[in-house]
Amino acid sequence: MRARVVIGFGVPVLVAGALLLARESGADKPEAPGFKMADLAWIAGSWGGEHDGGWIEEHWMAPNGGSMSGMSRLVIGDRTAFHEYLRIAQNKDGTIDYLAQPKGKHPPTLFRLTTLTATKAVFENPEHDDPKVIRYELKDGALVATTEGDSNGKHNVHEFAMKPSSLKK
């Protein structure tokens, strides 16, 4: 459709016509960033490492059916000090979300994928307190998970370096 400007109506008609053209072309709809679940396959596997006087591990299934399922736990001594159910899922609009359920709480907290490279994925939820950012990065054969957020007026950064692992050594 073409916008017509009738002499005498001036700028309001021109603006209305431009808005109509933008609406018909779909320009008012947010663009999906073009991320693909397959590009997150490097996260899949079993990872483990020492953390907070214990052993932290994450286990991720490979991407399939538009999602990845995972779990994490921190074992200190002979007890599970923390556990979390995790999911990464692609939405119909192409966006990808990281869904975290610490201690199995429902509903999960959603973090949107904002950055993705061959070795780095960043998920963000600026409305959440702690964490606001969850980052995964491959560094020297390790999967490094970093969380950042604000709690009790303090900015917190936690880093978890995990090597490929199936059992605590």
Side-chain angles (χ1 to χ4, degrees), residues 71-127:
M71 61 88 49
S72 176
R73 71 177 171 185
L74 173 64
V75 176
I76 299 176
D78 61 354
R79 70 178 182 84
T80 299
F82 178 82
H83 74 279
E84 183 170 34
Y85 300 113
L86 307 165
R87 188 166 168 250
I88 300 173
Q90 187 145 29
N91 300 304
K92 289 180 182 179
D93 68 358
T95 57
I96 296 177
D97 292 331
Y98 180 102
L99 303 140
Q101 290 180 268
K103 299 181 183 175
K105 291 183 180 176
H106 198 72
T109 303
L110 182 145
F111 298 83
R112 177 69 34 99
L113 180 64
T114 58
T115 303
L116 180 60
T117 71
T119 59
K120 184 178 182 179
V122 179
F123 302 89
E124 299 183 57
N125 180 342
E127 302 303 315

Side-chain angles (χ1 to χ4, degrees), residues 40-166:
L40 290 161
W42 53 270
I43 294 174
S46 294
W47 305 90
E50 294 180 12
H51 182 73
D52 278 350
W55 183 258
I56 190 164
E57 58 187 327
E58 282 196 14
H59 302 276
W60 283 98
M61 294 174 152
N64 194 3
S67 71
M68 295 175 72
S69 293
M71 61 88 49
S72 176
R73 71 177 171 185
L74 173 64
V75 176
I76 299 176
D78 61 354
R79 70 178 182 84
T80 299
F82 178 82
H83 74 279
E84 183 170 34
Y85 300 113
L86 307 165
R87 188 166 168 250
I88 300 173
Q90 187 145 29
N91 300 304
K92 289 180 182 179
D93 68 358
T95 57
I96 296 177
D97 292 331
Y98 180 102
L99 303 140
Q101 290 180 268
K103 299 181 183 175
K105 291 183 180 176
H106 198 72
T109 303
L110 182 145
F111 298 83
R112 177 69 34 99
L113 180 64
T114 58
T115 303
L116 180 60
T117 71
T119 59
K120 184 178 182 179
V122 179
F123 302 89
E124 299 183 57
N125 180 342
E127 302 303 315
H128 196 252
D129 53 359
D130 194 9
K132 290 181 183 301
V133 178
I134 299 170
R135 183 180 306 107
Y136 285 92
E137 192 166 2
L138 278 180
K139 292 182 182 177
D140 300 321
L143 181 66
V144 179
T146 307
T147 62
E148 288 187 50
D150 301 311
S151 180
N152 299 322
K154 182 180 173 190
H155 186 71
N156 300 305
V157 177
H158 300 281
E159 186 174 283
F160 315 90
M162 300 170 286
K163 298 269 186 185
S165 173
S166 59

